[in-house]
Amino acid sequence: MIIYFTDIALSLMLILTAMVIAVQRNLLGAVMLSGIYSLLCASLFVCLDAVDVAFTEAAVGGGVATILFLGTLAQTDYEKKSRVGISWSGLFLVIICGSLLVYGLSDIPGFGLADNPVQTYLADVYLVQSQKDIAVPNLVTAVLASYRGYDTLGETTVIFTAGIAVLILLGRGKADSDTVESKES
Amino acid sequence: MVEFTILLILLSMLLALISAAIGETVYDKILAVNIFGTITVLFIAVYGFVTGRPDFLDIALVYALISFVTTIAVLKFFEYGDMGKSSTDREQDIDI
C-alpha cells in the first residue's frame, strides 16, 4: 500500500517538475530544476528495484549533466529574451508523438507478472544460482557485474574512450597557451 | 512508523519542489536543489527499511557525495563565472 502510494507520489512530482521547467524563463533556474528531476527519477528507479540505473541517473543526470549545462551557460547568455508564442505545428507534432507512445504502452506486459518474457528466459537460473555462485545480495548487481562482466567491461571502455576524446578536444586551447608562454619566456 | 516517516519525507520533497518553483532568485533554487538532494538520501535510506532490505544504505551515501559535488560546482560557477581554471591560473590573472 505505502509502496504504491510512494510510486504515485513520485510520478506526480515528476510531472509537476517537468511543468515547472517548461514555464521557466531563467535558464539557470531550469538547470537547477532539471537536477531535481534527475533526483526524483533516481528515487523512482530505486522504488522499481533498478538500483544500478538509479545510480547512473543520479551520477550523470544530477551531477555531470548539471555541471555541463552550467559550463555551457557560462559561454552564453542565460536569460531568455523574448517570450515565444505557442508554435502550433510543434504542439501538433508533440501530441502525435505522445499519442503514439501511449498507444505503444498498451502493448507492454504488466508490471512484475510471472509469465512476462523477461521472467521466462534465464531469470530462473539467475535466481537459483546467483546466491551460490556469487553471493551478492542484489540480483541485478550480480547479473551486471559478474554474469555479464565482459559486457559491462566493454561499456566502461567505450565510456572511458569517449571521456578521453572529450578531454583531448577541450584541452587543446590550454596546451596552445602554454607553448606560447614558453616561447615568450 | 517507518511508513509514516516516508510519508513525511514525500511531503518535504513536495515542499522543496514548491520552494524551487516559486523561489525568486537563483540562490533560492540552488538551496532548494541542495535540500532536495538531502531529502533524496533520506528517502533511499528509509525506503530500504520499508521494503525490509536495508542494502541500499551504501547508495544513499554515494547520493550524498554527488549532491555535495554538484552544489560545490554550482557555487564555483557563480563565484568565478567559469569552471575551467585552476587556482594558479587565477593568481596569474590577478597579477596581470
Side-chain angles (χ1 to χ4, degrees):
Chain A
M1 177 62 203
I2 186 75
I3 292 175
Y4 286 122
F5 180 78
T6 310
D7 288 353
I8 293 168
L10 284 177
S11 309
L12 286 179
M13 277 195 275
L14 267 183
I15 296 174
L16 184 64
T17 318
M19 284 172 153
V20 174
I21 291 175
V23 298
Q24 281 290 313
R25 290 298 124 192
N26 188 334
L27 292 181
L28 274 177
V31 169
M32 294 290 103
L33 282 162
S34 72
I36 289 185
Y37 188 88
S38 297
L39 286 171
L40 272 172
C41 259
S43 309
L44 203 54
F45 289 147
V46 170
C47 292
L48 293 173
D49 256 1
V51 185
D52 54 322
V53 184
F55 223 85
T56 316
E57 176 66 40
V60 175
V64 179
T66 307
I67 295 167
L68 283 181
F69 275 137
L70 285 176
T72 314
L73 289 182
Q75 313 285 326
T76 58
D77 206 2
Y78 45 79
E79 282 285 345
K80 216 178 204 176
K81 289 276 165 30
S82 59
R83 201 179 178 83
V84 190
I86 298 176
S87 150
W88 292 106
S89 57
L91 187 64
F92 181 69
L93 264 180
V94 166
I95 288 175
I96 294 280
C97 286
S99 320
L100 280 175
L101 285 175
V102 173
Y103 174 70
L105 273 182
S106 65
D107 207 27
I108 65 170
F111 177 70
L113 292 183
D115 54 348
N116 283 352
V118 68
Q119 320 278 22
T120 52
Y121 180 45
L122 262 177
D124 282 346
V125 183
Y126 287 152
L127 282 173
V128 174
Q129 298 243 323
S130 78
Q131 285 305 308
K132 210 172 12 174
D133 288 350
I134 308 161
V136 172
N138 191 312
L139 186 61
V140 177
T141 313
V143 171
L144 280 182
S146 182
Y147 288 119
R148 297 183 197 159
Y150 287 115
D151 185 45
T152 309
L153 183 67
E155 284 172 13
T156 320
T157 314
V158 168
I159 293 171
F160 182 63
T161 317
I164 288 178
V166 168
L167 279 182
I168 290 172
L169 286 175
L170 290 183
R172 275 181 63 184
K174 192 170 181 199
D176 288 347
S177 67
D178 282 352
T179 50
V180 169
E181 277 170 17
S182 60
K183 275 177 194 166
E184 281 172 357
S185 61
Chain B
M1 191 62 206
V2 184
E3 281 85 357
F4 186 64
T5 314
I6 211 153
L7 281 183
L8 286 185
I9 287 176
L10 283 172
L11 182 66
S12 50
M13 267 184 173
L14 188 64
L15 289 177
L17 186 55
I18 289 172
S19 90
I22 66 172
E24 289 289 316
T25 64
V26 175
Y27 298 103
D28 291 336
K29 294 189 196 306
I30 295 174
L31 190 60
V33 172
N34 198 9
I35 292 170
F36 207 93
T38 312
I39 297 172
T40 310
V41 173
L42 283 176
F43 173 79
I44 293 166
V46 175
Y47 192 82
F49 287 98
V50 168
T51 51
R53 287 174 302 157
D55 304 328
F56 296 162
L57 277 179
D58 306 343
I59 295 157
L61 283 177
V62 178
Y63 276 43
L65 290 176
I66 290 171
S67 172
F68 177 69
V69 169
T70 310
T71 310
I72 292 286
V74 169
L75 292 177
K76 198 175 168 189
F77 170 76
F78 275 101
E79 180 75 22
Y80 300 113
D82 66 69
M83 283 175 293
K85 288 184 178 176
S86 64
S87 54
T88 51
D89 284 351
R90 259 187 210 106
E91 283 164 14
Q92 285 169 359
D93 285 354
I94 292 166
D95 291 343
I96 294 165

